[in-house]
Amino acid sequence: MTGGGLLLRFSWFSAEAEIPAVMTKANFIGELGINSYLSIATDGTITIFSPNPELGQNIMTSFPMIVAEELDADWTKVKVVQAPLDTQKFERQLTGGSGAIPHSWKRLRTAGATARYLLMAAAANRWKVEPSECTASNGFVLHAKSGNKLGYGELADEASKIAVPAEVPLKSRKDFKIIGSSVRNVENKKIITGKGIFGLDFYREGMVLAMIQRPTAFGTKIKSVDASAAKAMPGIIDVVTFKNNVAIVGKSTWEIMKARKAVKIEYEKDGNIESTSDHDRLFVSLLNSDQAKVRRKDGDVETAFKNAAKIVKSEYQCPFIPHNPMEPMNFFADVRADGVELVGPTQTPASARTATAKLLNIPEDKITVTITRLGGGFGRRLKFDYVVEAAELSSIIKKPVKVIWSREDDMMGGSYRPAVRYRFEAALDEKGNMVGYKLRGVGINVNNSTREDNFPSGAVENLLIDSVEHISPITTGPWRAPVTNFLAYAEQSFLDEVAVAAGKDPVQFRLELLQKARMNSVGAIKYNIDRMETVIKQAAEKSGWGTKKGVSQGFSVYFSHASYVAQVCDVVMISGKPAVKKIVAVSDCGEVINKSGALQQVMGAIVDGYGHAMYGKLTFKDGVPGEKNFGEYRLIRMKEIPEIEAHFIDNGIDPTGLGEPALPPTGGAVANAIFKATGIRLKNQPFIDQPLYNSAKKGF
Amino acid sequence: MAMFTLQINGKEYRADVAADTPVLWVLRDHLGLVGTKFGCGIAQCGACTILFEGNAVRSCVLPISAVKTSKITTIEGLSENGDHPLQIAWDEVDVPQCGYCQAGQIMTAAALLKRTPKPTVEEIDNAMHGNICRCGAYHRIREAVLSAAKKI
Ligand code: FES
Ligand code: FES
């Protein structure tokens, strides 16, 4: 926008609500380029910089929708641009924890409303009428009495000279036109025409490519490297060893892939070398450890279990799983004397920069980070190992380099969802009331594998939740809905077991517990009882709970990332095997910003949750992952998806995130339905490895 | 190394590469056609799908020496203005999540519709089963194929 216009500086993320300041033409020229602004050009084009990395959660569409709503903008004139890392202007410029929308809701609305206020004031000045007589709609300010009408572009320059008010009124939700509607992904066009928008597509004149051989077994380090043959191969520029990495640097991917096979590397032991069978043994012993850390303790569990009429006890286990974003890890780095340029897909650009600055021992302001679109993340790109590694390599070879991971590198390269085992115990009295509850979590590299304040905590008089950790050289990290992606399944399956043991309907059983938490709560309650109750009741109603002939239903409900989701799974038996037919989900994430995006998140999360519960596993033999690519590692495919019906609670509460919350309940709903259909309780993931499915294992 | 002449998207391209270089890497590294994606490299995910004489083929395992005079279409050449019925349907149904798999999905669907202009859901599922979408956008992919088929 060189021809003037309105440039509104606002903070998407600052902790204190910052008062937006209009920038005049004179001072924005110096600022033009990288910024957090909403700008309105004189031709009416509205540009909004989107700070958060986009990995499919659709934030590049939903954030601007909120601004455009309050601005009464013409959505077709809104342009969205991915902002690079700028810690001065943005706070929380990361994607994770389903946290962006709740964090920014008010700020985005205020930004849009402020711009609208200024545009209306400018129009009123021009027409010499009271601003209160003007209205704004679809990119225009209107004056009904005189029939005057001016576009935002025509008013932008004048608006930029008006002082910003300290407070602006926000719309009432009944006037929302954009929020709550279905708006298509703003990058659809680029995606469906094959534009190079992902990190792996990045190209810079003069750059070289590299692949890195990392130790194939966790717990080993390089002993010797012989790269002489590889170095002589066509297209190879160099082979360099740093830390535990052997980087093959070359001109083209295929030449590098071929040369890589010719590098001879010997490794030696450098820590524990573990196998899945070791973990299985460890889990058993740690479940009986006296080293567990108490996470929550209410009442007196010992007495409760001693006096119980009935005790239910059960254990659940999940394996490691890799994230497997469709776009493998990659990053571009150009380390020069005058500064460092980093370009690529990251969920956490700021931490990546801090780590790079530390490694290279240079100030952070010498490093720029450009965020490309991410071909998925699922938590993997919250880690920045692959960014720092690219920077280190560039600093060694003194060249701009794009480091590419193969699928095998990606799957074997670590940072997995940790393997966990849980033991649950419930004490019932004569009437079938749950009067005691124990949960112990044993996780590999998870400090706390429980969520001690989640339901049913608060509804049981005597409760003990604790956890033990085993430290392993196998690297782990957050995986979409960390901890709860498996805990929810285990817990919701166990509650189903307890309901069955108590002779109660699973839905009724949960509602009774909630009622108890409401009337007679025990200790702190960190979930909203009414909201949880509402999604439970709605899910039961929408799914026809208990009314369908020939269909076995399973129930599950979970509160995570500040949202509530209940699910009912329908299973029917087909030639002696349970077939998952349908999943009905009712989500309460407060105000739904983008209906299309929200549906996508819920449906995608359910497919993800179901797919991984059903098929996902990464096993280890002597520190080496047993599954290396999609040949052995099974991901859910089109023929395997159930029908999904997603509903939302329309309560107008400030929005919470939706990238994760619909995933945790899925495994439990499915397992409970399968139990109903077969009498078999699936206690280990993946389900496909359980005896029930063994014969159906092949042929995907 | 040898010089290969390729017919891609109605244009002639030349690449000086080893005979075993997969078409995927020729497109991406040598010709700047990066719409075709790398997902697995072993013909398991479908991200690299192109049309090879109208058939959906995994370009990650197709050596350039096998191409000869065959015509290749990539996502960039599926339509002139991004308005192939599948591309329109993909936008209307709002299919993409992260979007990374979608070029491969669209190319697989394009081959299907060429062969079977009015596919049943089962035929769609069979054809699309080889394409992984890690984001789980399968319902909308199916819906978009059905919607495009109605308009062809
Ligand atoms: S990259 Fe070719 S099928 Fe996966
Ligand atoms: S949209 Fe992300 S992999 Fe398909």
Side-chain angles (χ1 to χ4, degrees):
Chain A
M1 47 168 286
T2 43
L6 172 66
L7 190 70
L8 192 64
R9 178 181 186 164
F10 66 92
S11 176
W12 304 79
F13 298 118
S14 79
E16 315 87 55
E18 181 183 296
I19 299 169
V22 164
M23 308 293 290
T24 63
K25 223 158 84 183
N27 62 10
F28 86 64
I29 284 169
E31 297 259 2
L32 207 65
I34 304 164
N35 54 40
S36 52
Y37 306 129
L38 151 70
S39 73
I40 301 172
T42 45
D43 70 353
T45 303
I46 296 168
T47 307
I48 300 174
F49 285 88
S50 180
N52 288 56
E54 171 65 68
L55 49 69
Q57 84 280 40
N58 218 359
I59 198 118
M60 262 183 102
T61 307
S62 52
F63 262 31
M65 282 175 73
I66 302 171
V67 178
E69 175 69 65
E70 291 288 351
L71 178 56
D72 274 313
D74 174 357
W75 180 254
T76 60
K77 293 208 163 167
V78 174
K79 265 205 205 134
V80 187
V81 178
Q82 174 72 56
L85 173 66
D86 191 333
T87 42
Q88 302 273 297
K89 287 172 181 136
F90 311 117
E91 253 185 62
R92 207 189 177 282
Q93 199 175 0
L94 66 88
T95 291
S98 299
I101 289 281
H103 188 269
S104 306
W105 169 241
K106 286 255 157 60
R107 294 177 181 95
L108 300 177
R109 293 182 69 188
T110 305
T114 304
R116 180 187 51 185
Y117 175 94
L118 297 172
L119 292 159
M120 285 173 68
N125 278 349
R126 176 109 59 108
W127 297 327
K128 306 218 171 8
V129 299
E130 282 302 309
S132 60
E133 291 174 19
C134 301
T135 53
S137 170
N138 210 31
F140 288 92
V141 181
L142 311 152
H143 184 246
K145 267 193 215 160
S146 61
N148 280 333
K149 181 178 178 181
L150 280 169
Y152 284 0
E154 299 166 89
L155 293 163
D157 223 3
E158 280 160 76
S160 73
K161 286 159 196 141
I162 296 171
V164 171
E167 251 178 83
V168 288
L170 299 180
K171 276 187 180 176
S172 136
R173 70 184 293 256
K174 69 172 177 8
D175 298 324
F176 285 168
K177 294 190 189 75
I178 299 174
I179 291 175
S181 70
S182 273
V183 170
R184 297 175 208 160
N185 184 335
V186 295
E187 294 213 297
N188 271 355
K189 189 87 190 173
K190 289 181 190 161
I191 291 166
I192 62 186
T193 54
K195 295 279 173 312
I197 53 176
F198 297 94
L200 204 59
D201 305 335
F202 182 78
Y203 174 79
R204 168 68 51 79
E205 196 62 45
M207 77 176 185
V208 297
L209 301 176
M211 291 187 115
I212 294 177
Q213 182 62 54
R214 301 165 194 85
T216 47
F218 290 93
T220 61
K221 63 175 187 214
I222 291 177
K223 189 175 166 201
S224 68
V225 180
D226 175 5
S228 48
K231 278 188 191 177
M233 287 175 71
I236 299 307
I237 296 166
D238 204 354
V239 177
V240 295
T241 303
F242 61 102
K243 303 208 168 105
N244 264 325
N245 301 318
V246 180
I248 300 95
V249 184
K251 291 186 195 142
S252 78
T253 313
W254 184 245
E255 286 168 322
I256 293 170
M257 284 177 163
K258 285 207 284 187
R260 182 178 177 172
K261 292 189 192 130
V263 182
K264 292 190 194 75
I265 310 172
E266 267 188 282
Y267 292 99
E268 62 191 1
K269 195 169 176 299
D270 184 37
N272 287 343
I273 295 185
E274 299 175 357
S275 300
T276 298
S277 52
D278 301 326
H279 296 146
D280 288 343
R281 275 194 299 275
L282 245 163
F283 281 146
V284 174
S285 68
L286 287 177
L287 276 175
N288 299 317
S289 155
D290 52 9
Q291 303 295 312
K293 195 162 166 198
V294 174
R295 303 290 171 180
R296 175 161 173 153
K297 195 169 188 281
D298 294 323
D300 175 1
V301 270
E302 230 164 272
T303 312
F305 276 83
K306 205 156 70 204
N307 299 335
K310 201 174 203 177
I311 288 174
V312 188
K313 194 168 163 179
S314 200
E315 293 181 13
Y316 289 82
Q317 188 174 320
C318 73
F320 289 92
I321 47 176
H323 301 78
N324 278 331
M326 274 323 275
E327 177 195 22
M329 297 304 111
N330 65 85
F331 230 81
F332 170 85
D334 186 8
V335 177
R336 300 177 308 261
D338 62 339
V340 176
E341 192 186 359
L342 301 172
V343 183
T346 169
Q347 290 178 245
T348 177
S351 316
R353 181 171 70 180
T354 304
T356 305
K358 219 170 135 198
L359 171 90
L360 301 174
N361 197 19
I362 53 167
E364 286 202 29
D365 61 13
K366 287 260 180 277
I367 305 174
T368 64
V369 186
T370 300
I371 307 160
T372 60
R373 192 177 177 88
L374 285 65
F378 309 101
R380 176 62 183 91
R381 292 188 232 265
L382 281 167
K383 290 234 172 159
F384 41 77
D385 51 321
Y386 62 102
V387 184
V388 178
E389 184 188 77
E392 187 163 9
L393 179 59
S394 174
S395 77
I396 295 167
I397 61 174
K398 303 201 166 24
K399 282 186 179 69
V401 62
K402 184 167 74 178
V403 176
I404 297 167
W405 294 46
S406 66
R407 176 57 57 193
E408 290 81 1
D409 294 334
D410 201 270
M411 213 177 284
M412 300 172 75
S415 200
Y416 308 113
R417 187 277 300 271
V420 180
R421 189 172 177 94
Y422 293 111
R423 179 162 66 206
F424 295 87
E425 290 164 86
L428 302 178
D429 65 13
E430 281 85 16
K431 295 197 202 90
N433 296 311
M434 185 161 73
V435 292
Y437 182 86
K438 284 199 259 181
L439 163 61
R440 168 164 295 181
V442 183
I444 296 176
N445 300 339
V446 252
N447 180 21
N448 181 6
S449 50
T450 74
R451 289 288 180 265
E452 62 275 11
D453 292 323
N454 260 3
F455 181 80
S457 293
V460 193
E461 289 98 324
N462 309 291
L463 172 141
L464 175 66
I465 296 177
D466 58 17
S467 65
V468 205
E469 178 185 29
H470 164 71
I471 306 281
S472 165
I474 297 168
T475 56
T476 59
W479 193 102
R480 193 179 195 177
V483 174
T484 60
N485 60 49
F486 178 68
L487 173 62
Y489 146 81
E491 174 205 292
Q492 289 296 308
S493 298
F494 181 67
L495 288 181
D496 206 67
E497 289 191 69
V498 179
V500 170
K504 292 179 181 172
D505 172 77
V507 171
Q508 217 42 52
F509 176 65
R510 286 170 175 86
L511 290 174
E512 273 171 27
L513 281 171
L514 279 177
Q515 185 61 9
K516 195 141 154 233
R518 179 185 282 130
M519 306 308 289
N520 217 342
S521 68
V522 187
I525 297 207
K526 303 232 170 121
Y527 48 93
N528 182 305
I529 295 168
D530 294 339
R531 293 179 77 176
M532 189 174 269
E533 191 179 77
T534 306
V535 293
I536 292 175
K537 287 183 173 166
Q538 289 271 323
E541 190 195 311
K542 303 274 187 204
S543 65
W545 176 254
T547 64
K548 289 185 181 168
K549 277 228 161 64
V551 175
S552 303
Q553 293 187 306
F555 194 87
S556 178
V557 61
Y558 211 72
F559 165 64
S560 72
H561 302 92
S563 296
Y564 300 78
V565 183
Q567 293 177 11
V568 174
C569 172
D570 288 1
V571 160
V572 295
M573 295 302 283
I574 296 175
S575 36
K577 292 264 178 265
V580 174
K581 279 289 158 200
K582 183 173 179 178
I583 294 174
V584 174
V586 175
S587 307
D588 175 1
C589 55
E591 194 79 67
V592 169
I593 313 291
N594 182 357
K595 224 193 231 150
S596 177
L599 277 170
Q600 256 180 346
Q601 289 313 302
V602 170
M603 293 169 80
I606 290 174
V607 171
D608 195 356
Y610 173 53
H612 281 90
M614 197 71 198
Y615 308 114
K617 68 158 179 200
L618 192 74
T619 56
F620 290 90
K621 181 91 183 60
D622 301 327
V624 183
E627 293 75 19
K628 301 176 170 63
N629 203 326
F630 297 137
E632 312 92 30
Y633 191 89
R634 183 166 177 184
L635 282 168
I636 189 165
R637 291 165 187 263
M638 190 179 274
K639 277 195 237 173
E640 292 136 0
I641 55 166
E643 183 190 339
I644 296 174
E645 194 182 294
H647 303 273
F648 296 90
I649 304 286
D650 182 23
N651 57 16
I653 295 173
D654 285 355
T656 46
L658 204 52
E660 292 162 291
L663 188 150
T666 304
V670 171
N672 294 342
I674 289 173
F675 172 78
K676 196 77 185 284
T678 62
I680 294 169
R681 189 66 73 183
L682 295 169
K683 298 190 180 183
N684 296 313
Q685 289 184 0
F687 298 161
I688 199 74
D689 281 357
Q690 308 313 305
L692 176 64
Y693 283 102
N694 261 346
S695 57
K697 218 168 157 180
K698 298 261 144 47
F700 61 91
Chain B
M1 303 283 264
M3 190 60 84
F4 292 89
T5 305
L6 301 162
Q7 311 296 326
I8 305 170
N9 303 332
K11 278 185 231 143
E12 199 171 285
Y13 287 87
R14 286 157 73 80
D16 185 15
V17 295
D20 62 351
T21 311
V23 169
L24 170 67
W25 296 115
V26 177
L27 293 169
R28 294 188 56 85
D29 284 354
H30 301 273
L31 307 179
L33 292 167
V34 294
T36 306
K37 297 295 186 233
F38 167 63
C40 68
I42 57 162
Q44 287 292 329
C45 77
C48 64
T49 306
I50 55 168
L51 297 184
F52 185 72
E53 289 295 331
N55 297 314
V57 161
R58 307 280 162 91
S59 66
C60 67
V61 291
L62 176 70
I64 192 168
S65 56
V67 176
K68 310 242 160 41
T69 56
S70 300
K71 290 194 176 59
I72 286 174
T73 308
T74 69
I75 187 74
E76 289 94 340
L78 185 62
S79 64
E80 190 96 348
N81 302 306
D83 53 2
H84 184 283
L86 282 165
Q87 288 167 312
I88 292 172
W90 241 250
D91 180 38
E92 280 175 0
V93 176
D94 200 20
V95 177
Q97 289 191 37
C98 82
Y100 193 79
C101 73
Q102 299 298 347
Q105 306 275 5
I106 292 173
M107 298 314 280
T108 304
L112 166 71
L113 293 189
K114 217 169 217 174
R115 224 170 42 236
T116 317
K118 301 279 174 240
T120 62
V121 168
E122 205 188 333
E123 284 167 326
I124 294 174
D125 282 14
N126 283 334
M128 304 305 296
H129 197 66
N131 285 67
I132 296 174
C133 175
R134 174 65 181 86
C135 298
Y138 296 119
H139 295 86
R140 287 192 178 179
I141 292 169
R142 187 195 279 151
E143 190 186 331
V145 178
L146 279 169
S147 152
K150 279 200 195 103
K151 289 175 194 155
I152 284 178

